[in-house]
Amino acid sequence: QCLVAMATVLVYLTALPWAGFVSTTPLFIIAFMLGLGEKRVSVLVMAPVLITPALFLFFIKFVSIPLPRGSGVFLTFSRMFY
């Protein structure tokens, strides 16, 4: 489980600059939870829905740290949230 978690984090960090925070983070949360053995569909659906906007608001509004927006179609998608 530890290796799966580390691999998931590495893939996330690699994809983050290219795909952006808004589109990558929900997928990362789901993959990370699956890697740790979570099987409840309700948790796998609700966690990214709640955690992603909370992190987004925290970093953008409260800490004023810009998050990666991605490029191409991901940049266009990310701009809807800024």
Side-chain angles (χ1 to χ4, degrees):
Q1 283 183 340
C2 184
L3 290 176
V4 171
M6 289 188 329
T8 305
V9 170
L10 287 175
V11 169
Y12 173 67
L13 292 175
T14 303
L16 197 57
W18 176 72
F21 179 84
V22 174
S23 51
T24 308
T25 301
L27 298 175
F28 164 71
I29 293 170
I30 293 169
F32 193 79
M33 290 171 54
L34 285 170
L36 294 178
E38 182 59 57
K39 295 178 182 163
R40 295 172 291 177
V41 174
S42 60
V43 174
L44 291 170
V45 169
M46 290 308 295
V49 168
L50 297 173
I51 294 171
T52 302
L55 288 172
F56 183 81
L57 287 173
F58 176 75
F59 283 108
I60 296 297
K61 300 296 179 187
F62 299 118
V63 187
S64 297
I65 295 177
L67 297 170
R69 294 185 184 187
S71 60
V73 69
F74 297 108
L75 177 59
T76 304
F77 178 71
S78 291
R79 284 185 177 152
M80 292 190 292
F81 298 96
Y82 285 88

